[in-house]
Amino acid sequence: MIVIGECIHIVSKQVKTAIENKDKRFIQELALRQAEKGANYLDLNIGPQRRGGPEVMTWMVDTVQEVTDTSLSLDTTNREAMEAGLARCKVRPLVNSTDATPERLAAMMPLAAKYNANIIALTLAGSGLPSSADARVQLALEAIVPAALENGVNMADIFLDPLVLTINGNQDQVQPTIEAMRFFKLMSDPPPLTTCGLSNISSGAPPHLRPLLHRVFLPMMRGAGLDSAICDPLDDELMAVRRILETRDASTAKGRLYLSIYDSYAAGQTADISSVDTSDPELRDIVKTIEVLENKWIYAHSYLQT
Amino acid sequence: MPPVETPVEKWAGKIHEVNLGGDARRLVVGGETTLPFLHFEGAIPHPPAVAVEVQDRPPASWAPELRASWGEAMEDPASWAKKAVEYGADLIVLYLSSAHPDDQNTGPQEAKKTVTRVLSTVDAPLIILGPGIAEKDNEVLVAAAEAAAGRRVALGFCEQKNYRTIIAACMANNHVAVAKTPVEINLAKQLNILICDMGLAPDSILMDPTTGALGYGLEYTYSVMERLRLAGLQGDKMAAMPMFCTVGEEAWRQKEARATEGIPAAWGDIATRALRWEELTAMTLLLAGADVVVLRHPQVVQRIKATIQKLMTKE
């Protein structure tokens, strides 16, 4: 799985301060730590940066490239900043992101073509959050694919992102999101790549629950066709699940459970939890989380207790 | 036509049975092992209860139809409650409205007096609600809880931001809590968990998912209640609390229940329309799984009671 390391993000107070103070060392260390943990891309989220966007992005790209040749994912809605950053990248970069609105597609798709970059395209239009798998696929087919063709961007260079919503309040949206992933992979030949903001699923959940939700959601999405995730490479347990799925490591009960989730979703089914030994508290928590993600058990911040 | 076999669902769970009232008159709500009125599928041991809303001072803002229907009884909460029982109320919801700082800002002493008077006048079980300001709710509900010791009343509203004091008062006096959440299923379950974490038993909680009246979010309330009920029947004990709906308050707040001028002639007579608004809101939520509906108009009380009776008759 292609990991897009999410840690260099303007929402982090430390990152924001480092950008303001032009603190190269902080950014470089965060870049190196993520690369060492196996990130394939380093996301550089500088926010909209209405003033001085190009300068900030150029500084970020140069700063990170001084210490690593890991590919960069440039994450801003500011078109000028995006272009300035793309022009500096030494390794094929990733445009993060466009959505399915004509304005954003017109701004970002030509840049992906001009700089031979990959691009993330969210199946989201101005008319509110997508409500079904079909609505997401429709946006991809009717807005994103034509814009790619028009600009000469190959479908195989596009990462389609179904837009993961928070489980708290959108529990019935989890399965349609997974379903959209399946359809994306059938859309074209060669198929598009797929990605998602894995951490979105747990936004607003208590901090101790968030990594568990990510770990269980990942094999579901992977089974359905997820090629890549914007996630936290510094989360060792999450990276362990990535490794378990890739090496098919069935040496532990936990590993077997993650593999069985993956296999069920790859076969177009939901997880089979009938034979899991739930006297093991760790497995029990994973099973509870499967049930919550499959909308069979109502999510509450204390769902592990019930 | 060939015979169609009725599909029968087997549910693993049961809605908690909540006991209310004292020795003279007990009332149990909940206990279902099936969806509303599906007698062929499971047990519905207790009919949904009809509560009548009584306020501790005459509500000046109520619609003329409502005020006319209760007349002088509204001057005194005990007489009002007595009349409500005569109209068929299974229980009384007593709103301590006067305790609101913008109203008369009455305190615990007045609350105690009112509760004692109502309890000594009617045997029907009581649900006591504070004015909706956290600090005042805690003050008057703790006093009410003490005054009602031995009569197992319900106290509300417990909300995510303010439940601890009310729950402690419930536990100290063997009362029931009414847990209210803003049309939000995840929060509804979470609040039940938090309350049980404090030590109150799951069979001492009624949950209020927040009522949206007909035309004003009724469908949202309906879906949340339906989902909670399905979860409860599927075995989620933290979603299996009987549900409580403040129908009258919400229905009579709406334009359709109040407007007499500047509206299309097709809307018809105000009295007919207003009563139907309350009745249809109540009926819809009973079909979504409401175990207690709180009503305002005596005629609507009689209509809903009659409909429930019909729906509870097994073929």
Side-chain angles (χ1 to χ4, degrees):
Chain A
M1 180 181 72
I2 301 163
V3 169
I4 304 168
E6 70 186 2
C7 302
I8 302 178
H9 197 295
I10 192 84
V11 165
S12 149
K13 217 172 168 184
Q14 287 171 297
V15 170
K16 192 166 180 256
T17 312
I19 292 175
E20 280 163 10
N21 299 338
K22 294 274 185 286
D23 176 357
K24 276 189 175 184
R25 247 183 85 184
F26 178 84
I27 300 289
Q28 288 173 336
E29 271 171 21
L30 200 46
L32 280 175
R33 274 169 64 211
Q34 293 183 84
E36 278 159 17
K37 294 281 188 183
N40 306 92
Y41 283 91
L42 299 172
D43 194 57
L44 306 180
N45 181 306
I46 61 162
Q49 295 288 345
R50 288 203 184 76
R51 274 182 302 171
E55 287 76 3
V56 172
M57 188 57 100
T58 308
W59 177 81
M60 283 285 260
V61 169
D62 290 349
T63 298
V64 175
Q65 288 189 144
E66 275 178 21
V67 294
T68 176
D69 53 11
T70 309
S71 305
L72 301 180
S73 157
L74 308 190
D75 193 348
T76 179
T77 49
N78 181 326
R79 190 188 177 283
E80 284 68 42
M82 180 65 77
E83 174 145 27
L86 289 171
R88 304 291 270 232
C89 286
K90 294 174 186 162
V91 185
R92 189 179 194 197
L94 173 61
V95 173
N96 185 9
S97 58
T98 180
D99 57 25
T101 55
E103 313 81 69
R104 302 271 300 140
L105 284 165
M108 294 300 176
M109 207 53 101
L111 289 182
K114 182 173 173 189
Y115 294 94
N116 185 34
N118 291 91
I119 182 167
I120 294 177
L122 282 153
T123 51
L124 168 72
S127 50
L129 296 173
S131 56
S132 65
D134 284 349
R136 290 170 163 97
V137 173
Q138 200 177 348
L139 283 172
L141 286 173
E142 290 176 6
I144 296 167
V145 173
L149 287 174
E150 196 181 308
N151 286 282
V153 175
N154 294 324
M155 278 313 286
D157 290 333
I158 294 181
F159 285 90
L160 284 181
D161 181 336
L163 188 70
V164 171
L165 302 175
T166 61
I167 189 160
N168 187 26
N170 302 285
Q171 203 178 347
D172 55 355
Q173 279 295 303
V174 180
Q175 291 300 315
T177 307
I178 295 173
E179 212 43 43
M181 194 54 67
R182 289 186 210 289
F183 289 133
F184 288 170
K185 294 308 283 184
L186 300 171
M187 257 177 50
S188 60
D189 186 21
L193 292 164
T194 54
T195 193
C196 77
L198 195 70
S199 318
N200 288 9
I201 192 78
S202 68
S203 187
H208 72 276
L209 269 186
R210 298 195 61 180
L212 177 63
L213 283 160
H214 304 158
R215 291 205 290 278
V216 180
F217 187 44
L218 182 65
M220 291 181 174
M221 289 288 270
R222 285 283 281 152
L226 184 75
D227 298 304
S228 140
I230 306 163
C231 60
D232 180 5
L234 306 183
D235 177 349
D236 288 336
E237 287 250 29
L238 183 67
M239 291 303 107
V241 176
R242 173 200 197 189
R243 185 190 56 76
I244 285 166
L245 298 179
E246 274 163 17
T247 60
R248 295 211 54 95
D249 177 1
S251 62
T252 62
K254 213 164 57 172
R256 287 190 289 280
L257 181 49
Y258 286 129
L259 283 170
S260 108
I261 301 172
Y262 174 90
D263 291 340
S264 299
Y265 275 79
Q269 294 154 1
T270 52
D272 175 13
I273 48 172
S274 52
S275 56
V276 182
D277 172 16
T278 48
S279 65
D280 177 333
E282 212 179 351
L283 297 184
R284 193 202 78 113
D285 285 355
I286 294 173
V287 165
K288 283 269 168 210
T289 306
I290 292 171
E291 290 185 308
V292 160
L293 286 165
E294 290 183 351
N295 202 15
K296 290 174 180 158
W297 196 252
I298 297 178
Y299 173 85
H301 289 333
S302 307
Y303 75 85
L304 287 179
Q305 267 175 254
T306 65
Chain B
M1 233 174 74
V4 177
E5 204 180 319
T6 310
V8 175
E9 199 80 46
K10 259 207 178 300
W11 300 104
K14 179 185 172 185
I15 304 309
H16 301 294
E17 278 186 315
V18 174
N19 280 271
L20 287 162
D23 292 332
R25 189 159 158 193
R26 287 190 188 286
L27 180 79
V28 187
V29 292
E32 301 94 325
T33 58
T34 179
L35 291 169
F37 310 115
L38 302 189
H39 301 286
F40 60 86
E41 191 173 86
I44 306 169
H46 316 288
V50 174
V52 166
E53 178 182 339
V54 166
Q55 301 207 352
D56 68 347
R57 49 97 184 98
S61 64
W62 278 23
E65 286 74 25
L66 276 176
R67 280 185 280 129
S69 69
W70 292 106
E72 274 177 19
M74 293 176 100
E75 299 296 323
D76 165 46
S79 324
W80 191 352
K82 189 161 175 273
K83 204 165 171 188
V85 172
E86 287 163 13
Y87 277 120
D90 300 307
L91 68 171
I92 300 295
V93 164
L94 175 63
Y95 250 112
L96 300 174
S97 319
S98 70
H100 197 288
D102 299 339
D103 202 288
Q104 298 166 34
N105 201 22
T106 55
Q109 285 315 314
E110 289 92 334
K112 212 165 203 162
K113 238 168 82 184
T114 306
V115 169
T116 306
R117 265 180 44 69
V118 173
L119 283 172
S120 63
T121 310
V122 296
D123 291 333
L126 213 58
I127 295 177
I128 305 167
L129 302 177
I133 303 286
E135 206 177 301
K136 291 295 292 193
D137 279 355
N138 292 344
E139 231 179 84
V140 295
L141 290 172
V142 166
E146 286 162 8
R151 290 285 291 268
R152 196 162 165 81
V153 299
L155 301 170
F157 290 113
C158 297
E159 297 183 71
Q160 197 194 17
K161 288 201 172 114
N162 185 54
Y163 64 94
R164 292 175 175 279
T165 306
I166 304 171
I167 296 303
C170 289
M171 288 166 64
N173 299 284
N174 188 33
H175 293 319
V176 170
V178 188
K180 181 169 185 153
T181 44
V183 207
E184 221 268 58
I185 183 157
N186 308 117
L187 213 51
K189 176 170 168 179
Q190 180 67 12
L191 184 55
N192 290 336
I193 297 173
L194 293 173
I195 289 174
C196 290
D197 276 353
M198 274 189 72
L200 190 70
D203 67 0
S204 297
I205 302 173
L206 298 174
M207 56 179 170
D208 178 353
T210 299
T211 297
L214 174 60
Y216 297 85
L218 180 63
E219 59 276 37
Y220 293 107
T221 301
Y222 190 102
S223 332
V224 164
M225 289 173 66
E226 186 182 41
R227 181 80 181 82
L228 283 167
R229 180 50 49 95
L230 287 170
L233 291 173
Q234 278 159 0
D236 189 338
K237 290 188 161 48
M238 288 300 115
M241 285 64 182
M243 293 186 281
F244 170 90
C245 297
T246 52
V247 170
E249 179 178 353
E250 294 307 322
W252 284 94
R253 200 202 290 281
Q254 310 312 336
K255 184 181 175 189
E256 287 81 352
R258 304 186 76 108
T260 50
E261 281 167 30
I263 49 164
W267 283 28
D269 167 55
I270 176 67
T272 310
R273 181 184 349 125
L275 268 60
R276 287 281 182 231
W277 218 259
E278 184 177 25
E279 184 186 356
L280 285 174
T281 302
M283 254 343 287
T284 309
L285 296 182
L286 285 167
L287 295 176
D291 295 278
V292 180
V293 286
V294 189
L295 303 176
R296 282 190 173 173
H297 200 287
Q299 274 184 47
V300 179
V301 171
Q302 291 170 330
R303 286 184 201 168
I304 292 293
K305 291 273 293 184
T307 311
I308 289 175
Q309 200 181 6
K310 280 185 215 155
L311 287 168
M312 286 302 291
T313 310
K314 294 166 205 172
E315 309 276 329

